[in-house]
């Protein structure tokens, strides 16, 4: 291709990206616009008279929800890895009995509609007096990430040569010891990827949040936004500021841990 | 990813295309195995089995049981919900909203899949070209996929606002319409609106998977065809499309399973309304259980979703296996 054509292609690519990302730009734009410019009959394309009122409102009313989401998401990462790391090790390195069936069960589990889970988990949580408990939310959210985490860690740990584990065994290390001091450090990247996506899934969860929390102050940020729109329909400035703040952790992770995100996406999409 | 990132849209691992029937851990296990490690190692996967039992099998079984019970508000205080046979199923069947919901679900799913796939494929083909910033632009396209659907749904709700939404304002400025369209507030367009947004949500997922599929097609096939005088369209028609078939099967079945699960987008935009005009089976199940508090009825609709999901899960597993077979052949 000639240079001119290549740059024309880049221009077309930028245009496609602009169209696809426009809703996100429009959210940031509205989060900065003063309310008077939001209700005009002409769209305000740029936040020239930017105001941070929306962010002030959002922070004061949604700050608690952001914190709830943060510790629920971190809890989900912990639960997910605690289940998934030993399972992946048992499957990939130790040929645990019933392993194939477990992988099959996890693949099917990913396809169960969330609303079915919510229905049954609500009844169970109610019986156990766990409605509004962050623990219930952590456990429910972990159902979104455990299958993914086991499968991705399994795929990685299969590539660790058996000799590594055997050498540790000859040196007298137990299986658990081998997992902790040999396999885990080698699989560090896969563990980070699994943890990262567990965090993102839990952070984005809405269904479990809206069904398992009835008291507003216990709700995660997604539910906070949802109820906020219901209550402040006209205050788009604050609603959009809340949306931007809910996107911040995702944006931070994208920048800080970019290669793990890419790894998670390609692990999902490329045949092994 | 992610999908009904999931995601739940869309969970990227769902896309794994490893066939189930193949032996696991062959590379590491067979050589290292001294026989009998299988049961001793069971302790490592036992927590995962317990987890599967508690968090997938139990809810599934619980849902089936609930569909035969009469759950009311008082059931949650007394802990009692009498068994009523098939009465919940009859009630859902007779519910005037049910037929409407089924039709909506089919339209929403078919419309979403068709356009997500078509646009995703077009973008995948586009990004196969080599040009400055190509890789950066392609990865930035994934950003909407990683954001919580509630957030992007909220942004769309603002865009589609009848009076001050930019969509109507822009359409009026270019004189395509002279009256604002109530995108989310009218019974005749609300389903179209939620479908449009869901298409937007699904494009990155389709693009990533199809892009991966395209990368797997050997370049020399295109070169040979070009030497034989095949034009760009002919190369696409006779090389790209046939060789992309296995990946296409995977994308479409997974897309279908995700689309059936879509909840966040519809809830934020319309809550299934107005007057059930954008209600799908998933939001209907939520409405029955958590708004009308008839958990038995919600469970019936949930069971219907499970049946559909399981059928397509097997279609998916077969498709991946066939895909492997064809790729190997």
């Amino acid at each position: 291709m000639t240079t001119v054509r290549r740059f024309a292609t880049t221009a077309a690519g930028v245009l496609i990206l602009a169209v696809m990302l426009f809703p996100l730009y429009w959210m940031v734009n509205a989060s900065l616009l003063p309310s008077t410019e939001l209700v005009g009959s002409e769209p305000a394309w740029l936040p020239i008279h930017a105001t941070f009122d929306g962010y002030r409102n959002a922070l004061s009313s949604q700050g608690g929800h952001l914190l709830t989401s943060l510790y629920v998401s971190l809890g989900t990462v912990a639960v997910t890895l605690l289940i998934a790391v030993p399972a992946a090790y048992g499957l990939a390195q130790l040929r645990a009995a019933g392993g194939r069936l477990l992988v099959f069960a996890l693949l099917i589990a990913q396809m169960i509609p969330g609303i079915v889970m919510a229905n049954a988990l609500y009844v169970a949580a109610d019986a156990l007096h766990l409605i509004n408990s962050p623990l219930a939310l952590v456990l429910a959210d972990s159902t979104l990430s455990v299958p993914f985490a086991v499968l991705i860690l399994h795929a990685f740990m299969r590539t660790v040569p058996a000799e590594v584990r055997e050498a540790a065994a000859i040196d007298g290390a137990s299986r658990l010891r081998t997992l902790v001091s040999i396999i885990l450090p080698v699989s560090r990247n896969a563990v980070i990827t699994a943890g990262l996506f567990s965090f993102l899934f839990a952070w984005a969860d809405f269904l479990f949040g809206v069904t398992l929390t009835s008291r507003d102050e216990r709700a995660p940020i997604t539910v906070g936004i949802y109820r906020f729109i219901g209550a402040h329909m006209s205050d788009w400035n604050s609603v959009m500021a809340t949306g931007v703040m809910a996107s911040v952790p995702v944006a931070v992770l994208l920048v800080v841990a970019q290669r793990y995100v890419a790894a998670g996406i390609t692990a999902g999409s490329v045949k092994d | 990813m992610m999908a009904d990132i999931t995601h739940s849209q869309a969970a990227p691992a769902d896309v794994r295309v490893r066939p189930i029937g193949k032996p696991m851990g062959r590379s590491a296990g067979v050589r290292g195995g001294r026989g009998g490690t299988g049961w001793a190692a069971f302790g490592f996967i036992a927590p995962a089995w317990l987890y599967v039992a508690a968090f997938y099998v139990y809810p599934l079984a619980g849902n089936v049981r609930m569909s035969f019970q009469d759950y009311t508000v008082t059931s949650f205080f007394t802990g009692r919900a009498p068994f009523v046979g098939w009465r919940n199923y009859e009630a859902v069947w007779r519910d005037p909203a049910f037929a409407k919901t089924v039709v909506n679900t089919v339209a929403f799913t078919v419309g979403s899949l068709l356009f997500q796939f078509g646009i995703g494929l077009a973008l995948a083909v586009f990004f196969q070209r080599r040009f400055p910033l190509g890789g950066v632009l392609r990865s930035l396209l994934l950003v909407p996929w990683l954001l919580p659907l509630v957030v992007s749904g909220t942004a769309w709700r603002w865009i589609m606002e009848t009076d001050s939404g930019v969509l109507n304002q822009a359409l009026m400025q270019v004189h395509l319409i002279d009256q604002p369209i109530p995108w989310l507030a009218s019974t005749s367009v609300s389903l179209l609106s939620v479908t449009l947004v869901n298409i937007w949500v699904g494009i990155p997922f389709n693009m990533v998977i199809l892009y991966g599929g395209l990368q797997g097609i050997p370049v020399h096939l295109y070169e040979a065809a070009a030497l034989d005088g095949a034009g760009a369209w002919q190369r696409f028609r006779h090389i790209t499309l046939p060789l992309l078939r296995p990946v296409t099967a995977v994308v479409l079945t997974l897309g279908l399973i995700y689309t059936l699960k879509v909840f966040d987008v519809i809830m934020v935009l319309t809550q299934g309304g107005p007057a059930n005009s954008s209600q799908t089976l998933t939001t209907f199940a939520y409405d029955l259980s958590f708004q009308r508090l008839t958990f038995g009825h919600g469970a019936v609709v949930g069971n219907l979703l499970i049946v559909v999901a399981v059928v397509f899960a097997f279609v998916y597993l077969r498709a991946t296996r066939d895909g492997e077979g064809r790729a190997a052949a």
Side-chain angles (χ1 to χ4, degrees):
Chain A
M1 266 194 286
T2 64
T3 316
V4 176
R5 270 192 61 186
R6 286 177 39 161
F7 278 98
T9 315
T10 301
V14 170
L15 192 69
I16 291 171
L17 189 72
V19 171
M20 282 296 289
L21 296 191
F22 175 77
L24 307 183
Y25 168 71
W26 207 237
M27 173 171 75
V28 176
N29 182 42
S31 76
L32 293 167
L33 283 172
S35 304
T36 46
E37 289 188 42
L38 284 168
V39 292
S41 54
E42 302 269 302
W45 297 103
L46 288 169
I48 298 166
H49 310 288
T51 161
F52 287 97
D53 288 355
Y55 286 90
R56 261 191 292 277
N57 284 340
L59 206 60
S60 66
S61 71
Q62 303 295 314
H65 298 307
L66 283 168
L67 272 181
T68 304
S69 276
L70 185 68
Y71 57 71
V72 165
S73 302
L74 290 174
T76 306
V77 173
V79 169
T80 303
L81 291 180
L82 224 56
I83 303 274
V85 167
Y89 174 59
L91 289 171
Q93 292 274 325
L94 305 178
R95 285 197 308 147
R100 271 162 67 176
L101 194 61
L102 178 63
V103 172
F104 183 73
L106 289 172
L107 274 170
I108 294 291
Q110 287 185 301
M111 295 171 182
I112 302 172
I115 187 69
V116 172
M117 307 280 294
N119 219 7
L121 289 179
Y122 177 82
V123 176
D126 184 70
L128 298 169
H129 303 290
L130 284 176
I131 301 293
N132 290 317
S133 145
L135 177 67
L137 216 47
V138 165
L139 291 174
D141 282 353
S142 71
T143 63
L144 302 169
S145 49
V146 164
F148 171 81
V150 173
L151 295 173
I152 198 171
L153 287 166
H154 173 224
F156 185 87
M157 287 185 188
R158 277 204 307 177
T159 66
V160 177
E163 286 77 11
V164 172
R165 177 171 49 80
E166 282 163 3
I170 289 165
D171 289 345
S174 68
R175 290 200 182 87
L176 188 61
R177 180 77 203 276
T178 312
L179 169 62
V180 173
S181 29
I182 309 283
I183 305 292
L184 261 189
V186 176
S187 317
R188 186 174 149 268
N189 287 0
V191 173
I192 294 177
T193 303
L196 187 82
F197 275 88
S198 305
F199 185 93
L200 289 178
F201 292 160
W203 185 268
D205 164 70
F206 171 64
L207 177 59
F208 293 131
V210 81
T211 52
L212 295 178
T213 59
S214 56
R215 272 164 51 202
D216 189 50
E217 73 270 21
R218 292 299 184 88
I221 185 63
T222 47
V223 179
I225 297 177
Y226 178 70
R227 294 189 181 143
F228 196 57
I229 324 175
H232 308 264
M233 251 303 258
S234 51
D235 190 4
W236 281 107
N237 176 239
S238 306
V239 171
M240 291 297 141
T242 313
V244 173
M245 291 197 319
S247 314
V248 165
V250 183
V252 169
L253 285 180
L254 270 179
V255 173
V256 175
Q258 199 187 10
R259 73 195 169 103
Y260 302 106
V261 175
I265 289 168
T266 45
S269 60
V270 179
K271 287 191 178 199
D272 59 6
Chain B
M1 215 205 172
M2 296 173 132
D4 175 323
I5 160 211
T6 133
H7 184 279
S8 300
Q9 123 95 139
D14 293 346
V15 199
R16 306 184 48 71
V17 250
R18 181 163 24 67
I20 308 308
K22 291 222 176 137
M24 294 294 161
R26 197 169 33 184
S27 55
V30 174
R31 275 179 296 134
R34 284 180 210 93
T37 59
W39 280 107
F42 187 75
F44 285 93
I45 66 166
W49 268 122
L50 280 177
Y51 185 88
V52 166
F55 289 98
Y56 300 109
V57 178
Y58 173 77
L60 272 183
N63 201 68
V64 172
R65 203 176 76 128
M66 281 165 75
S67 72
F68 294 104
Q69 284 177 292
D70 185 25
Y71 263 93
T72 56
V73 186
T74 48
S75 305
F76 288 102
F77 294 108
T78 60
R80 268 201 302 269
F83 281 91
V84 290
W86 294 92
R87 220 181 297 162
N88 288 332
Y89 288 82
E90 280 170 49
V92 169
W93 179 255
R94 291 221 186 89
D95 192 319
F98 178 68
K100 171 110 188 114
T101 301
V102 171
V103 174
N104 284 350
T105 308
V106 172
F108 177 74
T109 308
V110 172
S112 295
L113 285 185
L114 223 59
F115 286 94
Q116 286 174 356
F117 180 81
I119 299 171
L121 180 59
L123 290 182
V125 170
F126 176 82
F127 279 102
Q128 253 202 316
R129 305 188 196 181
R130 302 193 142 272
F131 55 90
L133 295 179
V136 178
L137 294 176
R138 190 167 49 82
S139 38
L140 281 174
L141 266 183
L142 298 179
V143 171
W145 190 22
L146 295 165
L147 286 188
L149 284 175
V150 170
V151 170
S152 38
T154 307
W156 275 101
R157 183 156 162 179
W158 161 234
I159 289 170
M160 290 181 155
E161 179 88 330
T162 307
D163 294 316
S164 36
V166 68
L167 184 57
N168 274 338
Q169 288 176 340
L171 289 175
M172 303 225 324
Q173 266 185 358
V174 296
H175 300 292
L176 270 173
I177 54 172
D178 35 60
Q179 286 271 327
I181 297 172
W183 294 103
L184 304 172
S186 145
T187 50
S188 49
V189 289
S190 66
L191 185 65
L192 175 73
S193 305
V194 295
T195 311
L196 283 176
V197 175
N198 193 53
I199 291 168
W200 176 82
V201 168
I203 288 172
F205 166 76
N206 279 264
M207 189 200 71
V208 171
I209 312 300
L210 291 168
Y211 181 83
L214 289 177
Q215 297 298 96
I217 299 177
V219 185
H220 66 85
L221 290 181
Y222 291 108
E223 289 164 356
L227 280 179
D228 288 344
W233 170 250
Q234 280 181 312
R235 291 197 298 266
F236 179 74
R237 173 77 189 73
H238 295 288
I239 298 175
T240 311
L241 280 186
L243 287 176
L244 215 52
R245 271 236 326 254
V247 181
T248 303
V250 171
V251 170
L252 287 181
T253 33
L254 281 181
L256 189 136
I257 290 165
Y258 290 154
T259 310
L260 282 176
K261 287 203 232 183
V262 167
F263 177 72
D264 307 15
V265 171
I266 297 179
M267 285 304 285
V268 170
L269 287 172
T270 64
Q271 290 95 49
N276 293 319
S277 58
S278 56
Q279 198 82 272
T280 64
L281 285 171
T282 295
T283 56
F284 188 48
Y286 172 81
D287 187 52
L288 290 172
S289 288
F290 293 97
Q291 302 288 308
R292 302 195 215 168
L293 298 174
T294 48
F295 277 79
H297 297 186
V300 169
V301 177
N303 285 341
L304 182 62
L305 280 168
I306 295 174
V307 171
V308 179
V310 165
V311 166
F312 283 98
F314 277 99
V315 171
Y316 161 69
L317 293 175
R318 284 201 56 155
T320 54
R321 207 174 294 182
D322 289 357
E324 284 286 313
R326 206 169 297 148

